[in-house]
Amino acid sequence: MIKCTEGLAIKSRENLESVKILVVGTGGREHAIVWALLQSPLVTQVLCVPGNGGTALMERCQNLSFRVDDFAGIARFAEVNGVSLVVIGPELPLSLGIVDYLQNRNIPVFGPTRAGAQIESSKTWAKAIMEEAGIPTPKSATFTDLETARAYIEQQGAPIVVKADGLASGKGVVVAETLQEALTAVELLFAQNYGKLLIEEYLTGQELSVIALTDGKTIRALLPAQDHKRIGDGDTGANTGGMGAYAPAPLGTPALMTRIQNEVLEPTLATLKRRGIDYRGVLYAGLMITPNGEPKVLEFNCRFGDPETQAILPLLVTPLVELLLACVEQRLAALPPIEWKPAVSTCVTIAAQGYPGNYERGKVISGIESANTDGTIVFHAGTQLKQNRVVSDGGRVLGVTSTAPDFASAIDRAYQGVRLITFEGMYYRQDIAQRALSERL
Ligand code: AMP
Ligand code: GLY
């Protein structure tokens, strides 16, 4: 880890044959982004703010000890050290305006501005965009006081979904099975000082994550993915950040992806443009595919999904650096179609005992090197390098991604990797990507 107050004397980029990239974030998603960027020989160095144990161990990658909201420190470092591109991983710095800050200093940055990031940071704002764009999304209403919200819930009945308006680290959505649950949820969320709530029609179906890259004019979807949000096998128990993912999700057939492009991605981008927002970065649609095959948007995110990214990027053939630079420089339309390996992938999250509740950190992890073999990559999420040993440092600790020609082999390979890894209290789901086996390819 470089002590950032000391600065670093790195030569400026002289031409496009050497690109130095700074990646902001600390999770499995960021490790996967760094890994994918470094697949290109064009990328001479990646700096990760603050990174994790995995990024610390990579050749041509160095962790920097800035906080993700230290915009001034990050900007100064980028300027002094000739960074060609800054890539923002998580939603928090995006919603705080890191992109606006860097753009004002002429530092090329991948990610939407604060105005664009509202698509994730405000559920009511996102809903207004969806309605203006005429895109398929569940019916909803916005509330700013408890009594009116209660009356609406009683009139609508359960099941019903209650969503807090601001960023809530995945804890702001309550899918209420009963009236009582819904009423308790609105009370609790208002008491937690969320000034605005969205109450939404409950939908059944299968969820699909479509992560798209845009330069503000053109938008291109990556491979569709599915994640596993619940902690327990068979999608049971508490919601988590994501216990595993797979790609390409068979549910996202070419016909469905065309509909999502035309009915969701394009109209959303056009609406953002109409509102004067120059949106460059990731637009991630969290969709429910209803039993009759309709894609309906449950939410938008303004960044790459985690752990979907760990499943998607190992399948990418087109260099990620080219795609990200094309977004920032508004030349996505001129690029050839995104190229993918003719393979599938499965990513299994290994979590700490107790996650998503309380868990301990600092457990020594072994077996990562043996698991990192041909066809398998161990992405670090909550880890740290301490005295040359990798120790756990978060709830989701690792993500083991395997690629193979078919899902049966990818699943088998990923779990072989998982079984080589040990640390005290490690937990993982046994059924990641099983759904892909039962769906037609
Ligand atoms: P969101 O952050 O809006 O994606 O919500 C988190 C999770 O809650 C989603 O991934 C779904 O599993 C569930 N969810 C959200 N909205 C709905 C809805 N309208 N109907 C059913 N489930 C929902
Ligand atoms: N995997 C869900 C998310 O990144 O929001």
Side-chain angles (χ1 to χ4, degrees):
M1 174 87 69
I2 295 172
K3 287 276 172 283
C4 295
T5 44
E6 293 162 13
L8 189 72
I10 300 174
K11 241 179 42 215
S12 294
R13 165 168 78 111
E14 270 146 24
N15 53 46
L16 253 188
E17 268 147 34
S18 100
V19 178
K20 194 182 298 174
I21 304 179
L22 191 151
V23 175
V24 174
T26 185
R29 163 185 54 209
E30 285 76 19
H31 190 188
I33 291 170
V34 171
W35 175 87
L37 289 171
L38 286 172
Q39 297 309 297
S40 166
L42 197 70
V43 178
T44 50
Q45 190 181 25
V46 177
L47 301 141
C48 208
V49 174
N52 59 29
T55 53
L57 283 167
M58 294 183 91
E59 273 179 41
R60 288 188 285 147
C61 182
Q62 237 161 351
N63 287 351
L64 305 176
S65 64
F66 294 107
R67 288 165 46 117
V68 299
D69 59 358
D70 181 1
F71 300 169
I74 293 170
R76 215 174 313 114
F77 183 93
E79 280 166 347
V80 170
N81 295 291
V83 165
S84 333
L85 174 69
V86 179
V87 180
I88 314 298
E91 60 276 20
L92 184 68
L94 291 168
S95 71
L96 294 174
I98 191 169
V99 170
D100 311 61
Y101 190 95
L102 296 176
Q103 277 179 351
N104 284 339
R105 282 152 189 81
N106 292 319
I107 298 167
V109 52
F110 177 84
T113 57
R114 183 181 188 149
Q118 288 178 92
I119 204 141
E120 176 163 0
S121 66
S122 169
K123 298 259 186 210
T124 53
W125 192 86
K127 204 63 161 188
I129 294 279
M130 293 185 219
E131 279 162 10
E132 194 180 320
I135 69 170
T137 181
K139 193 178 75 173
S140 74
T142 300
F143 298 90
T144 50
D145 75 280
L146 183 60
E147 282 322 305
T148 330
R150 273 173 174 283
Y152 181 79
I153 289 174
E154 272 160 10
Q155 180 215 341
Q156 295 291 312
I160 195 159
V161 183
V162 181
K163 300 185 174 185
D165 193 48
L167 288 183
S169 310
K171 296 188 179 77
V173 175
V174 178
V175 179
E177 304 285 341
T178 64
L179 263 187
Q180 196 47 52
E181 255 181 87
L183 295 171
T184 310
V186 285
E187 244 171 72
L188 217 73
L189 290 171
F190 275 128
Q192 285 169 7
N193 284 331
Y194 288 106
K196 249 193 238 173
L197 300 184
L198 195 80
I199 301 182
E200 193 172 83
E201 170 196 7
Y202 169 82
L203 293 183
T204 56
Q206 274 214 60
E207 288 181 58
L208 187 70
S209 303
V210 174
I211 295 171
L213 302 179
T214 177
D215 62 1
K217 297 194 286 197
T218 300
I219 185 157
R220 292 199 184 170
L222 303 180
L223 291 178
Q226 273 192 287
D227 73 353
H228 296 258
K229 292 210 163 89
R230 303 297 190 96
I231 188 75
D233 286 350
D235 295 328
T236 53
N239 251 322
T240 71
M243 294 304 295
Y246 59 95
L251 179 67
T253 57
L256 184 64
M257 290 302 284
T258 302
R259 280 193 68 179
I260 292 168
Q261 177 75 23
N262 297 333
E263 295 172 27
V264 174
L265 301 177
E266 305 269 5
T268 304
L269 188 63
T271 304
L272 289 167
K273 218 154 89 184
R274 228 181 1 256
R275 288 200 177 198
I277 295 172
D278 181 8
Y279 194 106
R280 303 183 203 185
V282 167
L283 182 67
Y284 159 169
L287 300 144
M288 184 72 89
I289 311 303
T290 63
N292 60 4
E294 298 290 315
K296 298 211 173 183
V297 177
L298 298 183
E299 65 164 347
F300 279 120
N301 293 318
C302 62
R303 37 91 195 161
F304 283 101
D306 188 338
E308 291 95 324
T309 303
Q310 294 90 305
I312 294 170
L313 293 185
L315 297 172
L316 188 61
V317 172
T318 306
L320 182 64
V321 59
E322 278 181 21
L323 291 170
L324 302 190
L325 283 171
C327 287
V328 172
E329 293 162 7
Q330 288 208 304
R331 29 176 202 82
L332 201 52
L335 286 198
I338 301 175
E339 205 186 323
W340 300 97
K341 289 180 190 156
V344 304
S345 74
T346 297
C347 172
V348 180
T349 300
I350 306 182
Q353 188 172 27
Y355 174 80
N358 295 333
Y359 53 83
E360 289 179 16
R361 297 169 195 258
K363 307 290 179 198
V364 176
I365 307 171
S366 60
I368 294 176
E369 265 174 50
S370 339
N372 252 325
T373 52
D374 229 17
T376 298
I377 312 161
V378 181
F379 291 119
H380 292 227
T383 74
Q384 225 189 60
L385 200 58
K386 259 193 174 160
Q387 284 141 11
N388 283 326
R389 291 197 306 187
V390 177
V391 299
S392 68
D393 191 38
R396 288 188 293 167
V397 178
L398 299 167
V400 180
T401 298
S402 290
T403 55
D406 57 74
F407 277 110
S409 320
I411 294 169
D412 195 42
R413 215 177 244 185
Y415 279 101
Q416 277 177 32
V418 168
R419 283 190 290 269
L420 292 171
I421 294 170
T422 50
F423 64 89
E424 192 192 317
M426 69 181 254
Y427 168 80
Y428 55 92
R429 273 180 64 163
Q430 310 279 346
D431 62 346
I432 301 304
Q434 285 298 323
R435 224 185 286 139
L437 293 178
S438 52
E439 286 165 7
R440 276 209 0 246
L441 274 174

